[in-house]
Short mmCIF file of all heavy atoms in Angstrom, two decimals:
data_model
loop_
_atom_site.label_atom_id
_atom_site.label_comp_id
_atom_site.label_asym_id
_atom_site.label_seq_id
_atom_site.Cartn_x
_atom_site.Cartn_y
_atom_site.Cartn_z
N ILE A 33 -5.87 -60.45 -1.71
CA ILE A 33 -6.63 -59.92 -2.86
C ILE A 33 -7.99 -59.52 -2.33
O ILE A 33 -8.76 -60.33 -1.86
CB ILE A 33 -6.78 -60.88 -4.01
CG1 ILE A 33 -5.40 -61.40 -4.45
CG2 ILE A 33 -7.51 -60.29 -5.17
CD1 ILE A 33 -4.50 -60.31 -5.03
N PHE A 36 -12.91 -56.56 -5.97
CA PHE A 36 -12.69 -55.78 -7.15
C PHE A 36 -11.27 -55.90 -7.66
O PHE A 36 -10.94 -55.27 -8.66
CB PHE A 36 -13.07 -54.29 -6.92
CG PHE A 36 -14.49 -54.05 -6.60
CD1 PHE A 36 -14.87 -53.36 -5.44
CD2 PHE A 36 -15.50 -54.48 -7.47
CE1 PHE A 36 -16.17 -53.15 -5.10
CE2 PHE A 36 -16.87 -54.20 -7.17
CZ PHE A 36 -17.13 -53.62 -5.93
N VAL A 44 -5.14 -58.29 -23.51
CA VAL A 44 -4.62 -58.38 -24.87
C VAL A 44 -4.51 -57.03 -25.49
O VAL A 44 -4.99 -56.69 -26.55
CB VAL A 44 -5.53 -59.21 -25.76
CG1 VAL A 44 -4.75 -59.74 -27.00
CG2 VAL A 44 -6.12 -60.44 -25.06
N PRO A 73 -25.04 -53.95 -13.32
CA PRO A 73 -25.03 -55.20 -14.09
C PRO A 73 -26.36 -55.91 -14.05
O PRO A 73 -27.08 -55.82 -13.08
CB PRO A 73 -23.96 -56.07 -13.33
CG PRO A 73 -23.97 -55.54 -11.96
CD PRO A 73 -24.29 -54.04 -12.04
N ASP A 82 -24.80 -61.91 -15.28
CA ASP A 82 -25.58 -62.52 -16.35
C ASP A 82 -24.87 -62.38 -17.66
O ASP A 82 -25.17 -61.52 -18.50
CB ASP A 82 -26.96 -61.84 -16.45
CG ASP A 82 -27.93 -62.61 -17.33
OD1 ASP A 82 -27.67 -63.74 -17.62
OD2 ASP A 82 -28.94 -62.00 -17.68
N TRP A 89 -27.93 -59.15 -28.73
CA TRP A 89 -27.65 -57.72 -28.56
C TRP A 89 -27.01 -57.10 -29.82
O TRP A 89 -26.59 -55.92 -29.81
CB TRP A 89 -26.63 -57.57 -27.40
CG TRP A 89 -27.18 -58.09 -26.11
CD1 TRP A 89 -27.07 -59.32 -25.57
CD2 TRP A 89 -28.08 -57.38 -25.22
NE1 TRP A 89 -27.76 -59.46 -24.37
CE2 TRP A 89 -28.38 -58.29 -24.13
CE3 TRP A 89 -28.62 -56.07 -25.20
CZ2 TRP A 89 -29.21 -57.89 -23.09
CZ3 TRP A 89 -29.43 -55.71 -24.13
CH2 TRP A 89 -29.70 -56.62 -23.13
N ASP A 129 -27.64 -53.40 -8.00
CA ASP A 129 -26.62 -52.53 -7.46
C ASP A 129 -25.28 -53.25 -7.47
O ASP A 129 -25.19 -54.36 -6.95
CB ASP A 129 -26.99 -52.05 -6.10
CG ASP A 129 -25.93 -51.24 -5.41
OD1 ASP A 129 -25.84 -50.08 -5.81
OD2 ASP A 129 -25.26 -51.73 -4.53
N MET A 133 -24.11 -56.78 -5.53
CA MET A 133 -23.66 -57.94 -6.29
C MET A 133 -22.24 -58.33 -5.99
O MET A 133 -21.88 -59.48 -5.84
CB MET A 133 -23.86 -57.75 -7.76
CG MET A 133 -23.40 -58.87 -8.60
SD MET A 133 -24.04 -58.77 -10.31
CE MET A 133 -25.65 -59.50 -10.12
N ALA A 135 -20.59 -58.20 -3.31
CA ALA A 135 -20.43 -58.96 -2.05
C ALA A 135 -20.83 -60.39 -2.16
O ALA A 135 -20.54 -61.18 -1.29
CB ALA A 135 -21.26 -58.25 -1.00
N GLU A 140 -13.23 -63.07 -8.67
CA GLU A 140 -12.76 -62.77 -10.08
C GLU A 140 -13.84 -62.06 -10.82
O GLU A 140 -13.51 -61.17 -11.66
CB GLU A 140 -12.32 -64.12 -10.66
CG GLU A 140 -11.07 -64.68 -10.05
CD GLU A 140 -10.62 -65.97 -10.81
OE1 GLU A 140 -11.42 -66.48 -11.67
OE2 GLU A 140 -9.52 -66.41 -10.57
N ALA A 146 -15.73 -54.56 -11.94
CA ALA A 146 -15.09 -53.24 -11.73
C ALA A 146 -14.49 -52.70 -13.03
O ALA A 146 -14.62 -51.49 -13.26
CB ALA A 146 -13.98 -53.43 -10.66
N GLU A 147 -13.85 -53.52 -13.77
CA GLU A 147 -13.29 -53.08 -15.04
C GLU A 147 -14.42 -52.53 -15.98
O GLU A 147 -14.33 -51.41 -16.54
CB GLU A 147 -12.60 -54.26 -15.75
CG GLU A 147 -12.04 -53.97 -17.11
CD GLU A 147 -11.51 -55.19 -17.80
OE1 GLU A 147 -11.61 -56.30 -17.23
OE2 GLU A 147 -11.01 -55.03 -18.94
N ARG A 178 -10.50 -40.74 -29.46
CA ARG A 178 -9.64 -39.96 -30.38
C ARG A 178 -10.46 -38.75 -30.83
O ARG A 178 -11.67 -38.90 -31.15
CB ARG A 178 -9.12 -40.73 -31.52
CG ARG A 178 -8.15 -41.85 -31.16
CD ARG A 178 -7.71 -42.68 -32.35
NE ARG A 178 -6.75 -43.69 -31.90
CZ ARG A 178 -6.33 -44.67 -32.72
NH1 ARG A 178 -6.78 -44.70 -34.01
NH2 ARG A 178 -5.45 -45.60 -32.27
N PHE A 187 -7.19 -41.37 -22.79
CA PHE A 187 -7.22 -42.77 -22.26
C PHE A 187 -7.93 -42.72 -20.89
O PHE A 187 -7.99 -41.73 -20.18
CB PHE A 187 -5.77 -43.23 -22.01
CG PHE A 187 -4.97 -43.26 -23.32
CD1 PHE A 187 -4.22 -42.20 -23.76
CD2 PHE A 187 -5.06 -44.40 -24.10
CE1 PHE A 187 -3.51 -42.28 -24.89
CE2 PHE A 187 -4.27 -44.44 -25.31
CZ PHE A 187 -3.55 -43.38 -25.71
N PRO A 226 -1.88 -33.12 -7.11
CA PRO A 226 -0.75 -33.04 -7.93
C PRO A 226 0.52 -32.72 -7.23
O PRO A 226 0.50 -31.91 -6.33
CB PRO A 226 -1.14 -31.97 -8.97
CG PRO A 226 -2.61 -31.93 -9.03
CD PRO A 226 -3.04 -32.28 -7.60
N GLU A 232 3.14 -38.20 1.51
CA GLU A 232 2.78 -36.83 1.77
C GLU A 232 1.24 -36.67 1.74
O GLU A 232 0.66 -35.89 2.53
CB GLU A 232 3.41 -35.94 0.69
CG GLU A 232 4.87 -35.77 0.87
CD GLU A 232 5.58 -35.14 -0.40
OE1 GLU A 232 4.88 -35.06 -1.40
OE2 GLU A 232 6.75 -34.81 -0.25
N ALA A 233 0.57 -37.40 0.89
CA ALA A 233 -0.90 -37.29 0.84
C ALA A 233 -1.54 -37.89 2.13
O ALA A 233 -2.50 -37.30 2.66
CB ALA A 233 -1.40 -38.09 -0.39
N GLU A 237 -3.81 -35.46 4.54
CA GLU A 237 -5.23 -35.81 4.73
C GLU A 237 -5.54 -36.00 6.21
O GLU A 237 -6.57 -35.54 6.72
CB GLU A 237 -5.61 -37.06 3.94
CG GLU A 237 -5.76 -36.80 2.41
CD GLU A 237 -7.05 -36.00 2.13
OE1 GLU A 237 -7.93 -35.89 2.97
OE2 GLU A 237 -7.12 -35.45 1.02
N GLY A 247 3.79 -39.27 11.34
CA GLY A 247 5.22 -39.46 11.01
C GLY A 247 5.40 -40.55 9.88
O GLY A 247 5.18 -40.30 8.75
N PRO A 258 -14.68 -49.08 -8.16
CA PRO A 258 -15.32 -48.57 -9.34
C PRO A 258 -16.58 -47.66 -9.10
O PRO A 258 -17.66 -47.90 -9.66
CB PRO A 258 -15.75 -49.83 -10.09
CG PRO A 258 -16.05 -50.79 -8.97
CD PRO A 258 -15.04 -50.48 -7.86
N GLU A 270 1.82 -43.50 11.48
CA GLU A 270 2.22 -43.31 12.82
C GLU A 270 1.75 -41.93 13.36
O GLU A 270 2.13 -40.93 12.81
CB GLU A 270 3.73 -43.46 12.93
CG GLU A 270 4.30 -43.11 14.34
CD GLU A 270 5.78 -42.86 14.33
OE1 GLU A 270 6.33 -42.42 13.28
OE2 GLU A 270 6.45 -43.16 15.33
N LYS A 295 -11.49 -55.24 17.13
CA LYS A 295 -11.74 -56.62 17.00
C LYS A 295 -13.22 -56.92 17.09
O LYS A 295 -13.81 -57.72 16.33
CB LYS A 295 -10.94 -57.40 18.02
CG LYS A 295 -9.45 -57.50 17.82
CD LYS A 295 -8.83 -58.40 18.88
CE LYS A 295 -7.31 -58.50 18.67
NZ LYS A 295 -6.69 -59.31 19.75
N GLN A 312 -19.67 -49.37 14.05
CA GLN A 312 -19.58 -50.32 13.01
C GLN A 312 -18.37 -50.03 12.08
O GLN A 312 -17.89 -48.91 12.01
CB GLN A 312 -20.79 -50.30 12.04
CG GLN A 312 -22.17 -50.30 12.82
CD GLN A 312 -22.38 -51.66 13.43
OE1 GLN A 312 -22.29 -52.70 12.75
NE2 GLN A 312 -22.70 -51.69 14.73
N ILE A 319 -11.71 -51.99 1.44
CA ILE A 319 -10.35 -52.05 1.99
C ILE A 319 -10.23 -51.41 3.36
O ILE A 319 -9.35 -51.78 4.13
CB ILE A 319 -9.34 -51.45 0.99
CG1 ILE A 319 -7.95 -51.86 1.32
CG2 ILE A 319 -9.51 -49.94 0.88
CD1 ILE A 319 -6.88 -51.43 0.36
N THR A 333 1.65 -54.09 11.19
CA THR A 333 2.04 -53.12 12.19
C THR A 333 2.75 -51.97 11.57
O THR A 333 3.36 -52.08 10.50
CB THR A 333 2.96 -53.76 13.29
OG1 THR A 333 4.16 -54.20 12.65
CG2 THR A 333 2.27 -54.93 13.91
#
Side-chain angles (χ1 to χ4, degrees):
I33 303 298
F36 300 121
V44 201
D82 191 17
W89 300 94
D129 176 73
M133 179 165 275
E140 291 184 348
E147 177 189 2
R178 293 179 180 171
F187 300 91
E232 290 166 348
E237 284 289 342
E270 174 195 27
K295 287 182 180 179
Q312 310 291 308
I319 192 173
T333 62

